[in-house]
Amino acid sequence: MARLGSWIESHPEGIYVRPADAWIDPSQAKARAMITHGHSDHARGGHEAVLATPETLAIMECRYGPQGGGQPIAYGESIRVGDVDVSFVPAGHVLGSAQIVLEHKGEKVVVSGDYKRRPDPTCPCFVPVPCDIFITEATFGLPVFRHPATGSEIDRLLHRLHADPTRCVLVGAYALGKAQRIICELRERGHDQPIYFHGAIERLNQLYQSFGIDLGELRHTGGASKAEMAGHIVIAPPGALNDRWSRRLPDPVTAMASGWMRIRQRARQRNVELPLIISDHADWDELTTTIRELEPTEVWITHGREEALKHWCMTHQIKACELNLVGYEDEDD
Ligand SMILES: [Zn+2]
Ligand SMILES: [Zn+2]
């Protein structure tokens, strides 16, 4: 009998699905690509044909300009690509993010892309799909990574904001996904004040709004005086935190929303006063709970700390291996 999943090849530049003649999240331009989500390490520009959710295609157009061969596939829709049945189901990571479900000759393979299990007001929840092979990310694949409840982190942010109305709180958050999620999480916690934003996230905010995500009242920092921004939250990409740009803000308390804020040294490197542990990736418990739930025969592990998760799988009688894909950054969290 052929090895399980022998029709799927792992190459440094991505996962190649031979009977579909298609690549998943390739790091180089390909004739046919299936894209899990819009983060730039997964969604490169320049492919001839792209299969992705409408939201992901819109994100790619926003970043790379018009994509000629874009073919939208909605969550739950199934299509045949070559000799493979393909469907996209929610991954709960960012707007439009999907797991790719592949079925060929009676074998079912799920490629998770990046995912998380906790609720996110900007995208539908991860849908567990039992399978033979689960290809999982492991960005936070160490038992030390256990993300706290999102609501309590947001409350710490609001507490800090209200403690000194002469200052603003500047939150570093990745431009795609995290920034819009923080805004929505604040709204869910009852914060209805205007939220200021750095120009670099404006287009993605608008894209989220165009897909019906309500971000409440947003204001560009560009036209605002220091006095106006006092007592308010400002959202900016992480690169702007220690940038000259931040001098226009009223004595900012520097915060950063990322799973990496669990590591004090990373917070210190960025001069972050208020580290908020808010991640768009599964933590250790979410990774292991998901594998338990899906009951795959094999787990293939990609970008991250593969070793510990591989060991965990083996102690739970699940065959596991690491895929050596290059080009994935852990910077999207
Ligand atoms: Zn991502
Ligand atoms: Zn990723």
Side-chain angles (χ1 to χ4, degrees):
M1 206 180 92
R3 178 177 62 82
L4 199 59
S6 59
W7 45 283
I8 296 190
E9 297 166 13
S10 161
H11 295 262
E13 70 262 42
I15 292 165
Y16 179 60
V17 185
R18 195 168 8 87
D21 190 20
W23 292 81
I24 296 178
D25 293 353
S27 57
Q28 288 160 21
K30 298 290 180 188
R32 186 185 282 145
M34 304 193 272
I35 304 295
T36 59
H37 68 285
H39 279 138
S40 55
D41 52 335
H42 293 258
R44 311 264 168 177
H47 306 302
E48 282 167 43
V50 177
L51 187 62
T53 61
E55 295 89 345
T56 296
L57 287 176
I59 291 163
M60 291 175 77
E61 295 221 339
C62 178
R63 298 195 138 167
Y64 308 120
Q67 299 287 297
Q71 183 185 354
I73 180 168
Y75 289 133
E77 193 186 327
S78 182
I79 64 159
R80 188 108 177 139
V81 181
D83 208 11
V84 182
D85 289 311
V86 178
S87 58
F88 281 45
V89 301
H93 177 58
V94 295
L95 180 74
S97 64
Q99 311 169 69
I100 301 180
V101 182
L102 307 162
E103 290 182 79
H104 176 70
K105 292 198 170 153
E107 286 178 9
K108 190 183 272 195
V109 178
V110 173
V111 182
S112 76
D114 293 342
Y115 73 99
K116 69 174 174 294
R117 300 300 303 266
R118 57 193 72 205
D120 176 337
T122 68
C123 62
C125 278
F126 178 96
V127 173
V129 179
C131 52
D132 300 299
I133 298 176
F134 183 49
I135 304 183
T136 183
E137 64 132 324
T139 303
F140 292 111
L142 284 174
V144 63
F145 290 114
R146 288 191 159 93
H147 309 323
T150 312
S152 65
E153 296 298 281
I154 296 293
D155 286 348
R156 289 204 301 122
L157 166 56
L158 288 170
H159 184 79
R160 191 61 179 265
L161 179 73
H162 299 142
D164 188 349
T166 68
R167 303 179 71 182
C168 72
V169 180
L170 168 60
V171 184
Y174 288 99
L176 167 59
K178 186 63 63 64
Q180 296 77 24
R181 178 178 171 210
I182 296 298
I183 294 168
C184 284
E185 300 278 9
L186 282 161
R187 300 310 187 199
E188 290 208 333
R189 273 339 239 191
H191 183 72
D192 54 10
Q193 296 292 305
I195 294 174
Y196 287 86
F197 64 86
H198 183 286
I201 65 173
E202 181 166 32
R203 289 175 70 200
L204 286 163
N205 288 346
Q206 288 166 350
L207 187 145
Y208 268 62
Q209 288 163 324
S210 75
F211 280 97
I213 310 293
D214 183 6
L215 301 177
E217 189 190 343
L218 301 180
R219 291 182 187 167
H220 198 300
T221 50
S225 67
K226 273 193 184 183
E228 284 172 73
M229 290 187 279
H232 288 284
I233 290 172
V234 181
I235 312 268
L241 288 187
N242 304 308
D243 186 84
R244 296 170 53 114
W245 166 85
S246 64
R247 291 187 205 157
R248 71 177 65 186
L249 305 177
D251 192 14
V253 175
T254 303
M256 165 102 182
S258 162
W260 297 112
M261 290 297 104
R262 167 68 75 201
I263 303 173
R264 282 169 194 280
Q265 197 188 336
R266 291 231 187 178
R268 252 184 265 122
Q269 274 166 5
R270 288 189 183 269
N271 297 317
V272 171
E273 257 182 86
L274 179 66
L276 302 169
I277 306 169
I278 301 178
S279 174
D280 284 327
H281 291 271
D283 67 4
W284 175 256
D285 292 329
E286 291 170 61
L287 291 169
T288 55
T289 305
T290 303
I291 294 170
R292 276 210 176 93
E293 198 176 347
L294 305 188
E295 296 186 313
T297 306
E298 290 185 20
V299 173
W300 298 0
I301 308 166
T302 70
H303 62 306
R305 275 118 291 271
E306 291 97 353
E307 229 8 84
L309 193 59
K310 187 173 146 187
H311 182 78
W312 182 91
C313 287
M314 278 159 23
T315 59
H316 289 78
Q317 281 73 51
I318 300 167
K319 219 174 137 186
C321 65
E322 303 158 38
L323 302 185
N324 296 311
L325 307 178
V326 298
Y328 288 119
E329 292 133 28
D330 50 25
E331 279 301 297
D332 67 350
D333 202 58

